[in-house]
């Protein structure tokens, strides 16, 4: 059961399991361009947060970008339902000008496809997925209490073991 601010939430869609191929998606980048999973050739960490303007979400985004952004053939993609403008502002304020931020605000298609849309809040639940070069899921963590941090070390180890 997933909770947000101490209350159970209903997640829309099916969550991915290790071994499955991740579905392609189309989301908006901070410059309002359309971006798809297929645009990123290489290993990927998909870091999903409810809102970049909260402490845990900021920490999660900074941590993965600081730890992994310099690895060859690796993309750190942060997805939230924040408007692209807010994502761009956050990146500028944090000095993460190379961070990849994508927005699912428009139709929540990513949240629905990845089993992460909290119906009660129209926000995404917290999760981390690690994909290999062929978009095969090698690690997942769908965080049960959305108000807690993911297991950074486990996700980083999963990526480095590819």
């Amino acid at each position: 059961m997933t909770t947000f601010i101490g209350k159970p939430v209903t997640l829309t869609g099916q969550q991915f399991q290790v071994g499955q191929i991740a579905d392609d998606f189309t989301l908006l980048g901070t410059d309002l361009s359309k971006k798809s999973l297929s645009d990123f050739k290489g290993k990927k960490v998909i870091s999903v947060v409810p809102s970049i303007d909260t402490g845990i979400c900021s920490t999660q985004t900074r941590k993965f970008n600081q730890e992994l952004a310099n690895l060859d053939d690796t993309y750190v993609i942060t997805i939230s339902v924040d408007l692209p403008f807010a994502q761009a502002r956050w990146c500028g304020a944090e000095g993460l000008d190379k961070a990849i931020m994508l927005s699912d605000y428009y139709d929540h298609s990513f949240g629905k496809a990845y089993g992460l849309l909290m119906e009660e809040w129209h926000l995404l639940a917290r999760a981390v997925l690690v994909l290999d070069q062929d978009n095969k899921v090698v690690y997942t963590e769908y965080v049960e209490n959305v108000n807690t941090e993911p297991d950074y070390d486990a996700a980083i180890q999963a990526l480095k073991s590819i």
Side-chain angles (χ1 to χ4, degrees), residues 26-40:
T26 300
L27 299 171
L28 290 178
T30 57
D31 62 355
L32 300 179
S33 64
K34 290 185 179 181
K35 299 287 184 186
S36 298
L37 181 60
S38 58
D39 292 332
F40 304 100

Side-chain angles (χ1 to χ4, degrees), residues 45 47-68 76 78 82 90-91 94 96 99 101 126-128 146-153 156:
V45 172
S47 175
V48 184
V49 299
S51 176
I52 197 62
D53 282 322
T54 64
I56 295 171
C57 298
S58 288
T59 298
Q60 180 174 332
T61 303
R62 274 193 315 277
K63 177 86 172 174
F64 282 129
N65 275 280
Q66 289 168 348
E67 294 282 333
L68 301 172
V76 177
T78 300
D82 294 298
W90 182 89
C91 287
E94 293 293 322
L96 291 174
M101 303 285 293
R126 188 176 315 283
V128 179
V146 176
N147 300 103
T148 59
E149 294 179 59
D151 185 342
Y152 301 112
D153 293 335
I156 291 167

Side-chain angles (χ1 to χ4, degrees), residues 17-28:
Q17 303 297 317
V18 170
Q20 288 183 286
I21 301 298
D23 292 339
D24 202 4
F25 54 72
T26 300
L27 299 171
L28 290 178

